[in-house]
Amino acid sequence: MRLKPGALLRFYSLCGILVQVAATKNKARGSQGQFPLTQNVTVVEGGTANLTCRVDQNDNTSLQWSNPAQQTLYFDDKKALRDNRIELVRASWHELSISVSDVSLSDEGQYTCSLFTMPVKTSKAFLTVLGVPEKPQITGFTSPVMEGERMQLTCKTSGSKPAADIRWFKNDKEVKDVKYLKEEDATRKTFTVSSTLDFLADRSDDGAVVSCRVDHESLNSTPQIAMQVLEIHYTPLVKIISSNSWPEEGQSIILTCESKGKPVPEPVLWTKDGGELPDPERMVVNGRVLSISFLNKTDNGTYRCEAKNPIGRNSTEYVLIVHDPNALAGQTGPDHALIGGIVAVVVFVTLCSIILLGRYLARHKGTYLTNEAKGAEDAPDADTAIINAEGSQVNAEEKKEYFI
């Protein structure tokens, strides 16, 4: 059978449609198991965010990025939203990457990448925008501060997201006992953070550097710091230093009055025993130094140094004792009296020992080894006792005295 030209044309058109439908179905089946891949992004306010969507296998299926308001940003390589901050980075069948520059807090939210298969597959990427805290400021300091007064220093910073952390330091040593306050800003996206340092002013704090440090993840480990140098006024602290620890007659001595205070103390006042210096010719005052020449016993006494400034006054005392060099030499030489006394005691003890020993020997010089005592109780006298003794004249040899 022979077809007419018009019918033949319709036949070829129908075949083309069937082939196209089959290709579309094959494309859909090839992409059916694929999902677009995205990642969450964190960027600092004012920076640039890069949003990337990838597909491992894609048969010419379109990719699209849309913002949190579901507005299309890019469809393949075609820009859909008129925003000069949004640029195309790369567009292919496997990837669609865009960038958003000069990011603001309002750009934060959930972005969607869509793969136009049947059905459409999507993947979400959350864009987090960090609010940078403003440079901190320290308030509450009025210069100067009097010693003993209470100081309250407040450090404050705004615009952080999330809330920033504040730490206090005094001469690089962290102060822990502080108050911390966090408040949401009117936009309810950022925070204002403040911290208060409360302490009593002490003279040791004069010249100290108090610093307030703000730490935040948007600062890339480089904290923002505000500093305040403390100025504390206090009464003078006075001390006397002597040039001679053992002054002797005829020598000289220099007494230096060290006074430290803020404001700087006025010239010091020297007195002796509550009155003026008695001998101006030998006792010369030069600023804070008192020089006394040709010392003698009349210089003994209590010397007072007094310093004052607009805050107050203070004083200290030094007791001067002038020593006799001859007496000092006698004390440092051998103590002959002490040695003589010891020798006398030794001689006395020796003599006593000799006398006692002599008396002992005299009392026990010998023992009578005789038989005279035998029968002595019955004899009227010694002669009779001897006659009546055993052995009489025969044993007269036994009546001899024997000494031990």
Side-chain angles (χ1 to χ4, degrees):
M1 183 179 67
R2 190 173 183 179
L3 298 176
K4 295 180 180 180
L8 183 62
L9 180 61
R10 288 195 296 273
F11 174 75
Y12 284 128
S13 298
L14 179 60
C15 290
I17 293 172
L18 293 176
V19 170
Q20 185 176 1
V21 170
T24 303
K25 290 183 178 180
N26 291 334
K27 183 191 300 183
R29 284 195 298 270
S31 303
Q32 188 173 4
Q34 296 300 314
F35 280 85
L37 302 176
T38 59
Q39 287 184 337
N40 295 333
V41 177
T42 299
V43 64
V44 177
E45 184 180 12
T48 299
N50 292 313
L51 300 174
T52 299
C53 179
R54 290 188 177 91
V55 179
D56 290 337
Q57 295 180 4
N58 186 7
D59 297 331
N60 299 333
T61 302
S62 297
L63 292 170
Q64 172 185 288
W65 270 113
S66 56
N67 62 15
Q70 295 304 313
Q71 296 173 319
T72 301
L73 303 180
Y74 264 90
F75 185 84
D76 288 336
D77 59 351
K78 298 177 180 60
K79 188 175 183 178
L81 185 66
R82 292 183 178 181
D83 189 337
N84 295 331
R85 301 177 304 129
I86 303 175
E87 299 290 341
L88 178 66
V89 177
R90 184 178 180 182
S92 67
W93 296 116
H94 300 286
E95 178 181 338
L96 178 60
S97 296
I98 63 173
S99 66
V100 182
S101 60
D102 193 19
V103 175
S104 64
L105 295 175
S106 61
D107 293 322
E108 183 176 84
Q110 187 168 267
Y111 289 72
T112 304
C113 174
S114 302
L115 175 64
F116 283 89
T117 59
M118 297 296 289
V120 176
K121 297 180 175 61
T122 61
S123 179
K124 308 292 184 180
F126 197 89
L127 175 61
T128 301
V129 181
L130 301 178
V132 181
E134 298 177 358
K135 184 175 178 59
Q137 293 183 346
I138 297 177
T139 59
F141 179 75
T142 56
S143 181
V145 177
M146 304 302 168
E147 184 179 25
E149 289 186 0
R150 180 169 296 279
M151 297 183 62
Q152 288 186 335
L153 304 181
T154 300
C155 178
K156 186 176 182 180
T157 179
S158 301
S160 60
K161 177 181 172 298
D165 183 36
I166 295 181
R167 301 165 66 188
W168 285 96
F169 293 84
K170 184 188 293 185
N171 287 339
D172 297 328
K173 183 178 181 181
E174 186 171 1
V175 182
K176 295 289 189 179
D177 189 14
V178 296
K179 298 178 181 179
Y180 182 84
L181 179 63
K182 178 179 70 174
E183 298 176 336
E184 284 188 346
D185 294 333
T187 59
R188 302 188 65 82
K189 288 180 177 290
T190 59
F191 294 88
T192 295
V193 181
S194 62
S195 179
T196 302
L197 177 63
D198 190 340
F199 63 99
L200 293 178
D202 185 80
R203 63 182 59 198
S204 61
D205 294 328
D206 183 51
V209 178
V210 173
S211 57
C212 160
R213 192 172 86 179
V214 175
D215 293 300
H216 194 262
E217 53 188 302
S218 67
L219 300 177
N220 297 324
S221 301
T222 304
Q224 293 181 344
I225 299 176
M227 294 186 295
Q228 177 66 60
V229 180
L230 302 183
E231 182 181 1
I232 313 298
H233 285 191
Y234 54 93
T235 57
L237 180 65
V238 186
K239 179 174 64 173
I240 294 178
I241 300 177
S242 173
S243 64
N244 194 340
S245 60
W246 191 269
E248 301 178 5
E249 288 184 307
Q251 294 181 346
S252 61
I253 189 172
I254 297 176
L255 301 179
T256 303
C257 179
E258 288 189 350
S259 60
K260 181 181 179 181
K262 195 163 187 178
V264 177
E266 300 174 1
V268 300
L269 174 64
W270 283 99
T271 58
K272 179 179 183 292
D273 296 330
E276 296 181 356
L277 299 177
D279 192 347
E281 294 183 358
R282 292 187 305 109
M283 301 178 178
V284 179
V285 176
N286 184 11
R288 305 180 185 280
V289 178
L290 170 61
S291 302
I292 306 176
S293 58
F294 303 107
L295 292 171
N296 58 63
K297 293 290 186 179
T298 62
D299 297 326
N300 289 343
T302 301
Y303 292 80
R304 177 189 292 269
C305 168
E306 181 181 281
K308 66 178 181 178
N309 64 7
I311 309 303
R313 63 180 63 201
N314 205 349
S315 64
T316 188
E317 295 179 345
Y318 176 84
V319 178
L320 175 62
I321 300 176
V322 180
H323 301 274
D324 185 352
N326 297 324
L328 182 62
Q331 292 176 4
T332 57
D335 194 339
H336 299 290
L338 180 60
I339 296 175
I342 295 175
V343 172
V345 171
V346 173
V347 172
F348 176 75
V349 172
T350 303
L351 290 175
C352 291
S353 300
I354 294 174
I355 293 172
L356 293 175
L357 181 61
R359 292 186 63 185
Y360 177 81
L361 294 176
R363 294 180 62 182
H364 301 81
K365 66 180 178 178
T367 303
Y368 292 94
L369 300 178
T370 67
N371 294 319
E372 292 177 353
K374 294 182 178 181
E377 295 178 356
D378 299 330
D381 51 32
D383 294 335
T384 305
I386 294 173
I387 295 172
N388 294 334
E390 292 181 5
S392 185
Q393 298 296 330
V394 179
N395 297 325
E397 194 69 23
E398 296 180 3
K399 299 180 180 65
K400 295 181 181 180
E401 294 180 350
Y402 295 93
F403 291 92
I404 298 175

